[in-house]
PDB file of all heavy atoms in Angstrom:
ATOM      1  N   ASN A  67     135.815-114.425 -28.871  1.00  0.00           N
ATOM      2  CA  ASN A  67     135.332-114.842 -27.561  1.00  0.00           C
ATOM      3  C   ASN A  67     134.022-115.588 -27.760  1.00  0.00           C
ATOM      4  O   ASN A  67     133.044-115.034 -28.291  1.00  0.00           O
ATOM      5  CB  ASN A  67     135.094-113.622 -26.654  1.00  0.00           C
ATOM      6  CG  ASN A  67     136.387-112.903 -26.335  1.00  0.00           C
ATOM      7  OD1 ASN A  67     137.364-113.532 -25.948  1.00  0.00           O
ATOM      8  ND2 ASN A  67     136.400-111.587 -26.518  1.00  0.00           N
ATOM      9  N   ASP A  68     134.028-116.877 -27.373  1.00  0.00           N
ATOM     10  CA  ASP A  68     132.855-117.730 -27.564  1.00  0.00           C
ATOM     11  C   ASP A  68     132.402-117.728 -29.010  1.00  0.00           C
ATOM     12  O   ASP A  68     131.191-117.695 -29.313  1.00  0.00           O
ATOM     13  CB  ASP A  68     131.707-117.268 -26.644  1.00  0.00           C
ATOM     14  CG  ASP A  68     132.071-117.359 -25.175  1.00  0.00           C
ATOM     15  OD1 ASP A  68     132.785-118.315 -24.806  1.00  0.00           O
ATOM     16  OD2 ASP A  68     131.662-116.468 -24.406  1.00  0.00           O
ATOM     17  N   GLY A  69     133.388-117.740 -29.934  1.00  0.00           N
ATOM     18  CA  GLY A  69     133.063-117.802 -31.350  1.00  0.00           C
ATOM     19  C   GLY A  69     132.666-116.481 -31.972  1.00  0.00           C
ATOM     20  O   GLY A  69     132.296-116.436 -33.149  1.00  0.00           O
ATOM     21  N   ILE A  70     132.762-115.383 -31.228  1.00  0.00           N
ATOM     22  CA  ILE A  70     132.399-114.058 -31.749  1.00  0.00           C
ATOM     23  C   ILE A  70     133.673-113.248 -31.944  1.00  0.00           C
ATOM     24  O   ILE A  70     134.452-113.067 -31.011  1.00  0.00           O
ATOM     25  CB  ILE A  70     131.442-113.320 -30.795  1.00  0.00           C
ATOM     26  CG1 ILE A  70     130.148-114.118 -30.622  1.00  0.00           C
ATOM     27  CG2 ILE A  70     131.144-111.917 -31.321  1.00  0.00           C
ATOM     28  CD1 ILE A  70     129.212-113.534 -29.585  1.00  0.00           C
ATOM     29  N   ALA A  71     133.900-112.777 -33.164  1.00  0.00           N
ATOM     30  CA  ALA A  71     135.078-111.971 -33.487  1.00  0.00           C
ATOM     31  C   ALA A  71     134.634-110.563 -33.840  1.00  0.00           C
ATOM     32  O   ALA A  71     133.655-110.368 -34.554  1.00  0.00           O
ATOM     33  CB  ALA A  71     135.846-112.576 -34.646  1.00  0.00           C
ATOM     34  N   GLU A  72     135.360-109.579 -33.322  1.00  0.00           N
ATOM     35  CA  GLU A  72     135.079-108.180 -33.632  1.00  0.00           C
ATOM     36  C   GLU A  72     136.329-107.557 -34.245  1.00  0.00           C
ATOM     37  O   GLU A  72     137.417-107.655 -33.688  1.00  0.00           O
ATOM     38  CB  GLU A  72     134.656-107.413 -32.384  1.00  0.00           C
ATOM     39  CG  GLU A  72     134.168-106.004 -32.680  1.00  0.00           C
ATOM     40  CD  GLU A  72     133.440-105.362 -31.517  1.00  0.00           C
ATOM     41  OE1 GLU A  72     133.046-106.095 -30.586  1.00  0.00           O
ATOM     42  OE2 GLU A  72     133.246-104.126 -31.535  1.00  0.00           O
ATOM     43  N   MET A  73     136.166-106.928 -35.399  1.00  0.00           N
ATOM     44  CA  MET A  73     137.263-106.310 -36.127  1.00  0.00           C
ATOM     45  C   MET A  73     136.865-104.908 -36.557  1.00  0.00           C
ATOM     46  O   MET A  73     135.710-104.505 -36.428  1.00  0.00           O
ATOM     47  CB  MET A  73     137.612-107.125 -37.389  1.00  0.00           C
ATOM     48  CG  MET A  73     137.861-108.588 -37.193  1.00  0.00           C
ATOM     49  SD  MET A  73     138.261-109.396 -38.776  1.00  0.00           S
ATOM     50  CE  MET A  73     138.179-111.118 -38.281  1.00  0.00           C
ATOM     51  N   GLY A  74     137.838-104.194 -37.104  1.00  0.00           N
ATOM     52  CA  GLY A  74     137.569-102.912 -37.740  1.00  0.00           C
ATOM     53  C   GLY A  74     137.635-103.073 -39.250  1.00  0.00           C
ATOM     54  O   GLY A  74     138.439-103.852 -39.771  1.00  0.00           O
ATOM     55  N   LEU A  75     136.802-102.332 -39.992  1.00  0.00           N
ATOM     56  CA  LEU A  75     136.738-102.471 -41.444  1.00  0.00           C
ATOM     57  C   LEU A  75     136.580-101.111 -42.114  1.00  0.00           C
ATOM     58  O   LEU A  75     135.756-100.286 -41.701  1.00  0.00           O
ATOM     59  CB  LEU A  75     135.554-103.360 -41.844  1.00  0.00           C
ATOM     60  CG  LEU A  75     135.233-103.424 -43.349  1.00  0.00           C
ATOM     61  CD1 LEU A  75     136.354-104.134 -44.104  1.00  0.00           C
ATOM     62  CD2 LEU A  75     133.893-104.102 -43.592  1.00  0.00           C
ATOM     63  N   ILE A  76     137.383-100.884 -43.166  1.00  0.00           N
ATOM     64  CA  ILE A  76     137.220 -99.757 -44.078  1.00  0.00           C
ATOM     65  C   ILE A  76     137.285-100.322 -45.492  1.00  0.00           C
ATOM     66  O   ILE A  76     138.138-101.165 -45.787  1.00  0.00           O
ATOM     67  CB  ILE A  76     138.330 -98.701 -43.900  1.00  0.00           C
ATOM     68  CG1 ILE A  76     138.324 -98.116 -42.485  1.00  0.00           C
ATOM     69  CG2 ILE A  76     138.188 -97.572 -44.919  1.00  0.00           C
ATOM     70  CD1 ILE A  76     139.535 -97.229 -42.177  1.00  0.00           C
ATOM     71  N   VAL A  77     136.389 -99.883 -46.356  1.00  0.00           N
ATOM     72  CA  VAL A  77     136.479-100.222 -47.773  1.00  0.00           C
ATOM     73  C   VAL A  77     136.430 -98.919 -48.566  1.00  0.00           C
ATOM     74  O   VAL A  77     135.748 -97.966 -48.177  1.00  0.00           O
ATOM     75  CB  VAL A  77     135.354-101.172 -48.230  1.00  0.00           C
ATOM     76  CG1 VAL A  77     135.493-102.528 -47.557  1.00  0.00           C
ATOM     77  CG2 VAL A  77     133.979-100.586 -47.956  1.00  0.00           C
ATOM     78  N   TYR A  78     137.169 -98.877 -49.664  1.00  0.00           N
ATOM     79  CA  TYR A  78     137.111 -97.675 -50.494  1.00  0.00           C
ATOM     80  C   TYR A  78     137.396 -97.996 -51.954  1.00  0.00           C
ATOM     81  O   TYR A  78     137.958 -99.040 -52.294  1.00  0.00           O
ATOM     82  CB  TYR A  78     138.040 -96.582 -49.971  1.00  0.00           C
ATOM     83  CG  TYR A  78     139.523 -96.833 -50.101  1.00  0.00           C
ATOM     84  CD1 TYR A  78     140.196 -96.601 -51.298  1.00  0.00           C
ATOM     85  CD2 TYR A  78     140.271 -97.283 -49.013  1.00  0.00           C
ATOM     86  CE1 TYR A  78     141.571 -96.819 -51.415  1.00  0.00           C
ATOM     87  CE2 TYR A  78     141.638 -97.501 -49.123  1.00  0.00           C
ATOM     88  CZ  TYR A  78     142.280 -97.266 -50.328  1.00  0.00           C
ATOM     89  OH  TYR A  78     143.627 -97.473 -50.451  1.00  0.00           O
ATOM     90  N   ARG A  79     136.994 -97.084 -52.792  1.00  0.00           N
ATOM     91  CA  ARG A  79     137.250 -97.144 -54.233  1.00  0.00           C
ATOM     92  C   ARG A  79     137.965 -95.865 -54.642  1.00  0.00           C
ATOM     93  O   ARG A  79     137.587 -94.768 -54.209  1.00  0.00           O
ATOM     94  CB  ARG A  79     135.928 -97.260 -54.994  1.00  0.00           C
ATOM     95  CG  ARG A  79     136.084 -97.190 -56.518  1.00  0.00           C
ATOM     96  CD  ARG A  79     134.748 -97.053 -57.208  1.00  0.00           C
ATOM     97  NE  ARG A  79     134.881 -97.131 -58.666  1.00  0.00           N
ATOM     98  CZ  ARG A  79     133.863 -97.010 -59.515  1.00  0.00           C
ATOM     99  NH1 ARG A  79     132.632 -96.806 -59.051  1.00  0.00           N
ATOM    100  NH2 ARG A  79     134.079 -97.076 -60.826  1.00  0.00           N
ATOM    101  N   TRP A  80     138.990 -96.016 -55.483  1.00  0.00           N
ATOM    102  CA  TRP A  80     139.728 -94.867 -55.999  1.00  0.00           C
ATOM    103  C   TRP A  80     139.579 -94.828 -57.513  1.00  0.00           C
ATOM    104  O   TRP A  80     139.891 -95.802 -58.202  1.00  0.00           O
ATOM    105  CB  TRP A  80     141.194 -94.960 -55.599  1.00  0.00           C
ATOM    106  CG  TRP A  80     142.113 -93.964 -56.262  1.00  0.00           C
ATOM    107  CD1 TRP A  80     143.090 -94.229 -57.171  1.00  0.00           C
ATOM    108  CD2 TRP A  80     142.158 -92.557 -56.043  1.00  0.00           C
ATOM    109  NE1 TRP A  80     143.738 -93.073 -57.538  1.00  0.00           N
ATOM    110  CE2 TRP A  80     143.179 -92.025 -56.862  1.00  0.00           C
ATOM    111  CE3 TRP A  80     141.429 -91.689 -55.240  1.00  0.00           C
ATOM    112  CZ2 TRP A  80     143.488 -90.676 -56.895  1.00  0.00           C
ATOM    113  CZ3 TRP A  80     141.736 -90.335 -55.278  1.00  0.00           C
ATOM    114  CH2 TRP A  80     142.762 -89.836 -56.089  1.00  0.00           C
ATOM    115  N   LEU A  81     139.070 -93.687 -58.030  1.00  0.00           N
ATOM    116  CA  LEU A  81     138.929 -93.479 -59.463  1.00  0.00           C
ATOM    117  C   LEU A  81     140.040 -92.545 -59.906  1.00  0.00           C
ATOM    118  O   LEU A  81     139.982 -91.329 -59.682  1.00  0.00           O
ATOM    119  CB  LEU A  81     137.561 -92.883 -59.804  1.00  0.00           C
ATOM    120  CG  LEU A  81     136.336 -93.746 -59.446  1.00  0.00           C
ATOM    121  CD1 LEU A  81     135.822 -93.402 -58.051  1.00  0.00           C
ATOM    122  CD2 LEU A  81     135.220 -93.530 -60.462  1.00  0.00           C
ATOM    123  N   SER A  82     141.069 -93.101 -60.524  1.00  0.00           N
ATOM    124  CA  SER A  82     142.286 -92.334 -60.757  1.00  0.00           C
ATOM    125  C   SER A  82     142.108 -91.233 -61.794  1.00  0.00           C
ATOM    126  O   SER A  82     142.767 -90.193 -61.716  1.00  0.00           O
ATOM    127  CB  SER A  82     143.425 -93.274 -61.183  1.00  0.00           C
ATOM    128  OG  SER A  82     143.145 -93.876 -62.433  1.00  0.00           O
ATOM    129  N   GLN A  83     141.249 -91.433 -62.790  1.00  0.00           N
ATOM    130  CA  GLN A  83     141.111 -90.437 -63.848  1.00  0.00           C
ATOM    131  C   GLN A  83     140.491 -89.132 -63.350  1.00  0.00           C
ATOM    132  O   GLN A  83     140.765 -88.066 -63.888  1.00  0.00           O
ATOM    133  CB  GLN A  83     140.271 -91.000 -64.992  1.00  0.00           C
ATOM    134  CG  GLN A  83     140.964 -92.087 -65.789  1.00  0.00           C
ATOM    135  CD  GLN A  83     142.168 -91.564 -66.544  1.00  0.00           C
ATOM    136  OE1 GLN A  83     142.107 -90.537 -67.200  1.00  0.00           O
ATOM    137  NE2 GLN A  83     143.290 -92.274 -66.435  1.00  0.00           N
ATOM    138  N   ILE A  84     139.660 -89.227 -62.326  1.00  0.00           N
ATOM    139  CA  ILE A  84     139.016 -88.016 -61.795  1.00  0.00           C
ATOM    140  C   ILE A  84     139.412 -87.749 -60.346  1.00  0.00           C
ATOM    141  O   ILE A  84     138.848 -86.850 -59.709  1.00  0.00           O
ATOM    142  CB  ILE A  84     137.479 -88.117 -61.918  1.00  0.00           C
ATOM    143  CG1 ILE A  84     136.952 -89.376 -61.212  1.00  0.00           C
ATOM    144  CG2 ILE A  84     137.060 -88.103 -63.389  1.00  0.00           C
ATOM    145  CD1 ILE A  84     135.432 -89.488 -61.221  1.00  0.00           C
ATOM    146  N   ASN A  85     140.360 -88.552 -59.806  1.00  0.00           N
ATOM    147  CA  ASN A  85     140.874 -88.337 -58.454  1.00  0.00           C
ATOM    148  C   ASN A  85     139.752 -88.259 -57.420  1.00  0.00           C
ATOM    149  O   ASN A  85     139.663 -87.333 -56.624  1.00  0.00           O
ATOM    150  CB  ASN A  85     141.724 -87.062 -58.409  1.00  0.00           C
ATOM    151  CG  ASN A  85     142.891 -87.123 -59.366  1.00  0.00           C
ATOM    152  OD1 ASN A  85     143.841 -87.867 -59.161  1.00  0.00           O
ATOM    153  ND2 ASN A  85     142.808 -86.339 -60.444  1.00  0.00           N
ATOM    154  N   GLU A  86     138.914 -89.263 -57.471  1.00  0.00           N
ATOM    155  CA  GLU A  86     137.756 -89.322 -56.575  1.00  0.00           C
ATOM    156  C   GLU A  86     137.813 -90.607 -55.763  1.00  0.00           C
ATOM    157  O   GLU A  86     138.143 -91.674 -56.283  1.00  0.00           O
ATOM    158  CB  GLU A  86     136.460 -89.264 -57.391  1.00  0.00           C
ATOM    159  CG  GLU A  86     135.197 -89.181 -56.555  1.00  0.00           C
ATOM    160  CD  GLU A  86     133.963 -88.969 -57.418  1.00  0.00           C
ATOM    161  OE1 GLU A  86     133.979 -88.056 -58.288  1.00  0.00           O
ATOM    162  OE2 GLU A  86     132.987 -89.718 -57.244  1.00  0.00           O
ATOM    163  N   ARG A  87     137.516 -90.498 -54.475  1.00  0.00           N
ATOM    164  CA  ARG A  87     137.552 -91.664 -53.589  1.00  0.00           C
ATOM    165  C   ARG A  87     136.197 -91.822 -52.899  1.00  0.00           C
ATOM    166  O   ARG A  87     135.678 -90.875 -52.314  1.00  0.00           O
ATOM    167  CB  ARG A  87     138.650 -91.507 -52.528  1.00  0.00           C
ATOM    168  CG  ARG A  87     138.977 -92.807 -51.786  1.00  0.00           C
ATOM    169  CD  ARG A  87     140.011 -92.583 -50.675  1.00  0.00           C
ATOM    170  NE  ARG A  87     141.184 -91.874 -51.137  1.00  0.00           N
ATOM    171  CZ  ARG A  87     142.268 -92.447 -51.642  1.00  0.00           C
ATOM    172  NH1 ARG A  87     142.314 -93.752 -51.766  1.00  0.00           N
ATOM    173  NH2 ARG A  87     143.297 -91.709 -52.026  1.00  0.00           N
ATOM    174  N   HIS A  88     135.639 -93.045 -52.981  1.00  0.00           N
ATOM    175  CA  HIS A  88     134.418 -93.398 -52.260  1.00  0.00           C
ATOM    176  C   HIS A  88     134.810 -94.282 -51.081  1.00  0.00           C
ATOM    177  O   HIS A  88     135.696 -95.142 -51.225  1.00  0.00           O
ATOM    178  CB  HIS A  88     133.445 -94.154 -53.155  1.00  0.00           C
ATOM    179  CG  HIS A  88     133.111 -93.453 -54.429  1.00  0.00           C
ATOM    180  ND1 HIS A  88     132.498 -94.067 -55.495  1.00  0.00           N
ATOM    181  CD2 HIS A  88     133.306 -92.158 -54.825  1.00  0.00           C
ATOM    182  CE1 HIS A  88     132.322 -93.205 -56.478  1.00  0.00           C
ATOM    183  NE2 HIS A  88     132.812 -92.040 -56.097  1.00  0.00           N
ATOM    184  N   ILE A  89     134.150 -94.105 -49.946  1.00  0.00           N
ATOM    185  CA  ILE A  89     134.610 -94.794 -48.734  1.00  0.00           C
ATOM    186  C   ILE A  89     133.446 -95.215 -47.858  1.00  0.00           C
ATOM    187  O   ILE A  89     132.353 -94.621 -47.894  1.00  0.00           O
ATOM    188  CB  ILE A  89     135.580 -93.876 -47.932  1.00  0.00           C
ATOM    189  CG1 ILE A  89     136.403 -94.670 -46.925  1.00  0.00           C
ATOM    190  CG2 ILE A  89     134.808 -92.741 -47.253  1.00  0.00           C
ATOM    191  CD1 ILE A  89     137.561 -93.889 -46.332  1.00  0.00           C
ATOM    192  N   TYR A  90     133.653 -96.255 -47.118  1.00  0.00           N
ATOM    193  CA  TYR A  90     132.785 -96.664 -46.018  1.00  0.00           C
ATOM    194  C   TYR A  90     133.694 -97.121 -44.884  1.00  0.00           C
ATOM    195  O   TYR A  90     134.640 -97.873 -45.115  1.00  0.00           O
ATOM    196  CB  TYR A  90     131.847 -97.801 -46.416  1.00  0.00           C
ATOM    197  CG  TYR A  90     131.038 -98.318 -45.248  1.00  0.00           C
ATOM    198  CD1 TYR A  90     129.876 -97.673 -44.851  1.00  0.00           C
ATOM    199  CD2 TYR A  90     131.483 -99.426 -44.509  1.00  0.00           C
ATOM    200  CE1 TYR A  90     129.150 -98.141 -43.758  1.00  0.00           C
ATOM    201  CE2 TYR A  90     130.772 -99.888 -43.423  1.00  0.00           C
ATOM    202  CZ  TYR A  90     129.614 -99.242 -43.050  1.00  0.00           C
ATOM    203  OH  TYR A  90     128.906 -99.674 -41.960  1.00  0.00           O
ATOM    204  N   PRO A  91     133.432 -96.658 -43.653  1.00  0.00           N
ATOM    205  CA  PRO A  91     132.364 -95.776 -43.209  1.00  0.00           C
ATOM    206  C   PRO A  91     132.656 -94.312 -43.538  1.00  0.00           C
ATOM    207  O   PRO A  91     133.654 -94.005 -44.191  1.00  0.00           O
ATOM    208  CB  PRO A  91     132.349 -96.007 -41.690  1.00  0.00           C
ATOM    209  CG  PRO A  91     133.781 -96.303 -41.371  1.00  0.00           C
ATOM    210  CD  PRO A  91     134.295 -97.100 -42.533  1.00  0.00           C
TER     211      PRO A  91
END
């Protein structure tokens, strides 16, 4: 709207050797 876009975002990292997940938010 008027050049402004709003979305949802999740980013994460998965470390398979230790089964650990880091996330934002």
Side-chain angles (χ1 to χ4, degrees):
N67 294 311
D68 299 324
I70 299 174
E72 188 166 344
M73 308 180 191
L75 171 67
I76 299 171
V77 294
Y78 69 81
R79 174 190 186 182
W80 170 248
L81 298 92
S82 65
Q83 290 294 313
I84 56 176
N85 301 290
E86 186 174 311
R87 194 184 309 271
H88 306 165
I89 197 168
Y90 175 83

